[in-house]
Amino acid sequence: RMDRQRDWGLYVHTFFSLVPPGEHFESHPEYFAEINGERIPNTQLCLTNPGVFDLVVRGLAERMAQRPEAKYWSVSQNDTYYPCQCDSCLAMDARYGGPSGTLLRFVNRVAREFPDRTISTLAYQYTRKPPKHVRPRHNVVIRLCSIECSFVETLAEGKDEANVAFREDLEAWARISPQLYIWDYVTNFREYLVPHPNCHVMAPNLRYFVRQGAIGIFEQGDSGCRVGDFVRLRAWYLAHLLWNPDADEQRLLDEFTNGYYGAAGPYLRQIIALMSDAGRRAGIPIRCFMSD
């Protein structure tokens, strides 16, 4: 188990933490992504620019000196789209099968500079598809994100187009990654109070990640609201499954609802089952960003 505060020096979406546009864009616009022929200060970095590599390595070295106990350091894309489209980046994308290859080649180079630390990056949105002709180094963690998927059906067997594509990407990353982490989603970030009928898939999905060799799993739920869709139940239930993926999920559900709700526990379980059944019958994707 990793303690985020102790073990992580930088956690996620760190490009601009390491190369801040406010400090560098005016003097070095070439450090930042070129989009439609123009350098833009609010998207991503230009990962083929030597100056970007030097700044990232220098920034990490300075932070590591301040946090020598931290083992994991994220070098990962910002939470936006639009990777660099300069000629050099596009050529590297073509060589390695897409932006994930350009990112991974960059991260591998950074990881070589810090052999006693673990460098984490994302397989997320435009970098989710595994690259060609390059593999993560032994001290590189790939954090694969399921944000596009439908969460009313299992990721291992679901027929939704997004789930099929994610399954292909996950199994391909599992074949090449010595350290594969999963970033999964278990709530509706757009409508926290709307029922999110995914209780029946959380345990099967977690076990699927384990079967694919994941050595770390983060289940991102509703951290900002105490009165959302069974917030405490999800946290407790998933914590126990993360500790023991083979635990009996129905027994866990019974234990929490009886212990937390008392005599109302059986009725709450009926409501949860009703929501899951309604989601399955609806025959539509249930994603983690949906309006009513």
Side-chain angles (χ1 to χ4, degrees):
R1 187 180 69 88
M2 294 179 298
D3 183 285
R4 177 174 171 180
Q5 298 300 319
R6 182 193 66 206
D7 292 340
W8 285 88
L10 289 174
Y11 190 60
V12 73
H13 302 312
T14 62
F15 274 2
F16 284 179
S17 295
L18 293 164
V19 186
E23 294 180 22
H24 299 286
F25 184 76
E26 185 173 347
S27 57
H28 289 284
E30 71 275 12
Y31 290 172
F32 300 88
E34 179 181 313
I35 308 297
N36 298 325
E38 181 182 359
R39 297 288 176 172
I40 304 295
N42 59 353
T43 55
Q44 307 291 345
L45 297 176
C46 178
L47 298 180
T48 58
N49 187 289
V52 170
F53 176 77
D54 292 342
L55 281 173
V56 168
V57 170
R58 188 186 318 155
L60 283 173
E62 291 171 354
R63 287 167 171 80
M64 288 175 183
Q66 298 167 1
R67 293 282 313 282
E69 77 285 359
K71 179 181 178 182
Y72 299 91
W73 295 84
S74 176
V75 177
S76 55
Q77 68 209 61
N78 298 320
D79 199 6
T80 59
Y81 293 91
Y82 308 114
C84 185
Q85 300 171 353
C86 75
D87 290 343
S88 180
C89 284
L90 288 179
M92 191 164 291
D93 290 351
R95 178 179 179 185
Y96 292 105
S100 63
T102 302
L103 172 65
L104 184 54
R105 182 180 177 276
F106 181 89
V107 170
N108 279 347
R109 290 180 63 211
V110 172
R112 280 195 292 269
E113 300 292 318
F114 304 101
D116 60 337
R117 307 297 175 97
T118 299
I119 306 300
S120 170
T121 197
L122 292 173
Y124 176 57
Q125 295 180 334
Y126 70 84
T127 60
R128 201 191 76 187
K129 188 174 182 60
K132 301 175 182 177
H133 315 305
V134 59
R135 291 173 173 243
R137 276 177 54 86
H138 64 89
N139 63 327
V140 169
V141 161
I142 298 297
R143 300 191 69 160
L144 174 64
C145 305
S146 64
I147 195 167
E148 299 89 354
C149 292
S150 172
F151 298 100
V152 76
E153 59 178 20
T154 64
L155 296 175
E157 299 173 346
K159 294 179 173 56
D160 182 82
E161 183 178 344
N163 291 27
V164 173
F166 176 80
R167 185 160 64 242
E168 293 172 353
D169 290 346
L170 168 57
E171 294 177 7
W173 277 113
R175 289 192 291 270
I176 66 172
S177 301
Q179 299 192 80
L180 177 64
Y181 283 46
I182 303 295
W183 189 308
D184 192 31
Y185 304 83
V186 294
T187 191
N188 179 0
F189 298 102
R190 187 163 290 159
E191 299 282 359
Y192 283 132
L193 300 182
V194 170
H196 190 59
N198 70 334
C199 192
H200 58 291
V201 305
M202 290 191 292
N205 284 350
L206 197 152
R207 293 187 187 116
Y208 174 55
F209 301 147
V210 173
R211 290 198 305 272
Q212 292 302 315
I215 62 172
I217 300 169
F218 172 44
E219 300 285 7
Q220 184 177 358
D222 177 0
S223 66
C225 183
R226 293 180 298 166
V227 292
D229 181 28
F230 291 102
V231 175
R232 291 174 175 83
L233 183 152
R234 291 173 192 275
W236 187 94
Y237 178 77
L238 286 166
H240 281 266
L241 286 167
L242 286 164
W243 290 324
N244 177 15
D246 294 323
D248 183 328
E249 62 262 42
Q250 186 59 53
R251 183 175 178 180
L252 291 175
L253 191 61
D254 292 349
E255 181 179 348
F256 182 88
T257 51
N258 290 336
Y260 192 80
Y261 297 109
Y267 302 100
L268 272 295
R269 291 197 294 277
Q270 290 180 30
I271 289 175
I272 293 167
L274 181 67
M275 290 193 299
S276 289
D277 289 344
R280 285 185 290 234
R281 289 198 311 271
I284 61 171
I286 301 294
R287 312 214 186 270
C288 61
F289 284 93
M290 290 187 71
S291 296
D292 182 5

